[in-house]
Amino acid sequence: MNAMKNKVQLIGHVGQEPEVKIFGEGKKVVNLSLATNESYTNSKGEKVEDTQWHRVKAWGKVAEIIEKYVTKGKEIAIEGKLTYSDYVDKDGVKRYLTEVVANDVLLLGK
């Protein structure tokens, strides 16, 4: 049961070109946004499209795969875990950040 703790699986489309950063020893991290869509019919019988945006971060081999094969608009599946952090912005306001740290990626579509 421990394998199921803090596990996230998402399928969606990449919202912008992945941002790659390289650290001193050549270690890579990739940041991207992923849009997931859901359609449903509301109480008035109208079809509603709901899009949720997710911040995704990947390190190492997963980052290299994303850097090489993933572009804006590409459909991908990711698996990872949720992380939370906070920081104080330049105006002194405390901000909260939720990200999915991907440990696996699957390229979908064409």
Side-chain angles (χ1 to χ4, degrees):
M1 203 58 141
N2 283 339
M4 294 181 67
K5 290 183 180 177
N6 195 3
K7 185 174 186 178
V8 177
Q9 295 177 325
L10 297 170
I11 296 175
H13 289 89
V14 177
Q16 62 192 37
E17 291 299 321
E19 177 188 342
V20 180
K21 293 181 183 176
I22 301 172
F23 293 95
E25 301 111 26
K27 189 173 185 179
K28 290 185 182 180
V29 62
V30 172
N31 292 297
L32 61 90
S33 59
L34 189 69
T36 56
N37 299 304
E38 181 180 7
S39 299
Y40 61 92
T41 304
N42 66 15
S43 60
K44 297 177 184 176
E46 302 165 329
K47 185 175 180 180
V48 178
E49 290 282 334
D50 183 33
T51 301
Q52 297 289 318
W53 288 93
H54 312 275
R55 291 177 176 259
V56 178
K57 179 177 280 188
W59 297 88
K61 190 69 172 167
V62 176
E64 291 175 11
I65 292 168
I66 291 171
E67 178 185 27
K68 190 171 183 178
Y69 298 107
V70 175
T71 57
K72 178 181 177 179
K74 178 82 174 157
E75 186 178 27
I76 62 172
I78 61 112
E79 182 176 284
K81 66 179 181 175
L82 281 179
T83 61
Y84 303 97
S85 59
D86 59 66
Y87 64 95
V88 177
D89 71 11
K90 64 182 178 186
D91 299 322
V93 177
K94 191 169 189 176
R95 303 284 182 181
Y96 298 91
L97 183 63
T98 302
E99 291 181 311
V100 177
V101 176
N103 57 28
D104 203 3
V105 63
L106 180 63
L107 308 174
L108 304 173
K110 295 181 181 180

